Amino acid sequence: MAELITVKSKEEYKAVIIGVKQRKSIDYSMDELEGLAIARGVTVLEKTVQTVNKINQSTYLGKGKIEELKLMVEALDCNLVIANDELSGIQTRNLEDALKVQVIDRTILILDIFAERATTLEGKLQVELAQLEHRLTRLTGKGIAMSNPGAGIGTRGPGEKKLEVDRRHITKRIYDIKKELKEADKTRRTKRKKAEKAGLPLVSLVGYTNSGKSAIMNRILMMTGKEDKIVFEEDLLFATLDTSKRLIKAKDNRDFLLTDTVGFVSKLPHPLVKAFRATLEEASQSDLILVVVDGASSYQDFHLEVTEEVLRELSLSHKERLTVFNKEDLFKEDLEVKGKDNIAVSARTGFNFDKLLGEITERLYRDELIADLLIPFERGDILSYLMKHNRVMYIKHTEKGTELKVAVKEEEYKKLKEFYR
Ligand SMILES: Nc1nc2c(ncn2[C@@H]2O[C@H](COP(=O)(O)OP(=O)(O)OP(=O)(O)O)[C@@H](O)[C@H]2O)c(=O)[nH]1
Ligand SMILES: [Mg+2]
């Protein structure tokens, strides 16, 4: 149920992007919006910005600007206008009436991309939920825009009765989806519990969309002999929608689990942040966060700001982290990556990946050694102590006793000498 149009629609979209500037420059977010439109397969013909003191509550842009835009839309023969801010139902209707083409906002565009990309049932449900919630607020706000879901672009305003039916229909569907998601969430928790039992530390890749999170994951997988487990990476905003988790076999048994996550973008629609909270919850369980930045982008400060904001929203700001400046092969000359919690890498060339892996495992296994032990049966006390307090990576009961691979502190390591295998 994509709102822009049905996802499979073959219609070609040619768009003008509009924005209003109040105080701060919006160049960046306009470019970002263009990137989003391209990711959705829309051809962007023009971008235009109006500087205002206050956004017009009923028409978004001022009267003169709308006239100018109307001419532009006609001259370019475009069939879509995309606004950089979230539009109310009224703003959308008034703009559509004036311009005679479909008008959508950033939120609808992002939701539409997500709808197109989601692959797992849970991902799809989360996006649908976000879409419906967004739609519902616009309905109650006397909005137009939606009538038959997926019925095509610019569907005109439904009558009051239709509105009521739609509202009831949407509310019911929201209820059903929430129920289904709850179930899925339960299953995931059980699965996670199992993973926790495996005792391995968890590392999450987070950061702005298209910064190379999946590429970094793939490079690490290749380095550690897991080529068959690589994930999807693509020069697209929101290439990854469903998080995936992989076991990384690192040196000295310092294994860990690595998760790839959904990329961030500015003004990420709130219903989406909410919807993906469950998926990103995994990140909240992590022992280390790798914040990935596209070090080749001139907007990297902005990307870092956006990332920080989302991390804050997800209550992850306090986590231990390593900031990874990726795409070193494309860095501008003046970029210097300094500081012990920052590292420059290139997922493309493999530059600095040994160091990256070292930095990760060093942080995960700080002051810890991996002991490979054989504990005889009569020392059940030691076994249960280790099982309770330490990270157990491997356990096998044999005729001679219990074979155990466990992370221990240095002093403990020495004390366990007689059990070394
Ligand atoms: N030149 C260069 N390109 C890279 C590097 N790392 C990743 N890329 C490219 O950048 C694009 C985005 O990479 P992804 O790994 O899909 O990015 P992502 O952060 O996972 O993106 P989302 O899943 O959309 O959030 C792809 O075309 C990659 O091939 C790098 O070090 N150098
Ligand atoms: Mg990705």
Side-chain angles (χ1 to χ4, degrees), residues 207-216 232-241 260-264 326-330 345-349:
Y208 197 80
T209 179
N210 213 38
S211 55
K213 298 176 292 299
S214 302
I216 288 176
F232 180 64
E233 69 178 75
E234 182 67 61
D235 188 10
L236 263 185
L237 300 184
F238 300 126
T240 305
L241 276 196
D260 188 14
T261 62
V262 181
F264 305 156
N326 186 35
K327 311 200 184 178
E328 181 272 346
D329 51 304
L330 302 176
V345 303
S346 166
R348 169 108 359 128
T349 64

Side-chain angles (χ1 to χ4, degrees), residues 149-160:
I153 41 169
T155 320
R156 304 311 305 167
E160 271 310 308

Side-chain angles (χ1 to χ4, degrees), residues 19-143:
V20 291
K21 175 180 162 210
Q22 286 174 290
R23 278 163 302 274
K24 282 205 302 200
S25 155
I26 59 163
D27 289 357
Y28 176 67
S29 67
M30 290 292 281
D31 284 353
E32 183 189 56
L33 187 60
E34 182 175 6
L36 288 167
I38 292 169
R40 177 57 186 81
V42 172
T43 310
V44 177
L45 298 177
E46 192 66 76
K47 285 185 281 185
T48 177
V49 174
Q50 182 177 32
T51 308
V52 294
N53 290 325
K54 205 167 159 275
I55 295 181
N56 190 308
Q57 290 300 313
S58 58
T59 54
Y60 184 58
L61 300 176
K63 212 169 166 196
K65 189 70 182 176
I66 292 180
E67 279 305 311
E68 184 192 318
L69 184 61
K70 187 169 165 33
L71 295 177
M72 192 188 279
V73 163
E74 280 166 8
L76 295 171
D77 189 27
C78 69
N79 52 7
L80 186 66
V81 167
I82 309 173
N84 192 28
D85 298 281
E86 188 151 333
L87 297 179
S88 68
I90 295 166
Q91 286 171 326
T92 309
R93 179 173 48 193
N94 287 333
L95 281 172
E96 286 184 340
D97 282 345
L99 301 170
K100 311 281 181 245
V101 290
Q102 185 184 10
V103 177
I104 60 167
D105 61 17
R106 178 183 261 274
T107 304
I108 291 178
L109 182 64
I110 294 176
L111 289 173
D112 200 74
I113 296 173
F114 273 61
E116 189 180 31
R117 302 277 166 77
T119 53
T120 63
L121 176 66
E122 199 177 358
K124 283 184 182 152
L125 287 174
Q126 278 163 339
V127 178
E128 190 184 343
L129 180 63
Q131 282 181 321
L132 290 172
E133 282 179 344
H134 181 70
R135 220 170 259 182
L136 197 61
T137 53
R138 286 165 28 117
L139 272 186
T140 42
K142 296 198 203 61

Side-chain angles (χ1 to χ4, degrees), residues 303-344:
H303 293 171
L304 274 168
E305 246 172 63
V306 169
T307 305
E308 206 54 56
E309 219 169 275
V310 184
L311 287 179
R312 210 174 310 129
E313 188 146 358
L314 295 166
S315 313
L316 293 174
S317 322
H318 64 286
K319 289 266 172 193
E320 170 155 26
R321 68 169 87 166
L322 187 61
T323 306
V324 184
F325 292 81
N326 186 35
K327 311 200 184 178
E328 181 272 346
D329 51 304
L330 302 176
F331 276 10
K332 299 195 175 63
E333 263 160 35
D334 56 349
L335 180 70
E336 255 192 287
V337 177
K338 286 191 296 202
K340 72 172 183 39
D341 292 326
N342 298 322
I343 181 171

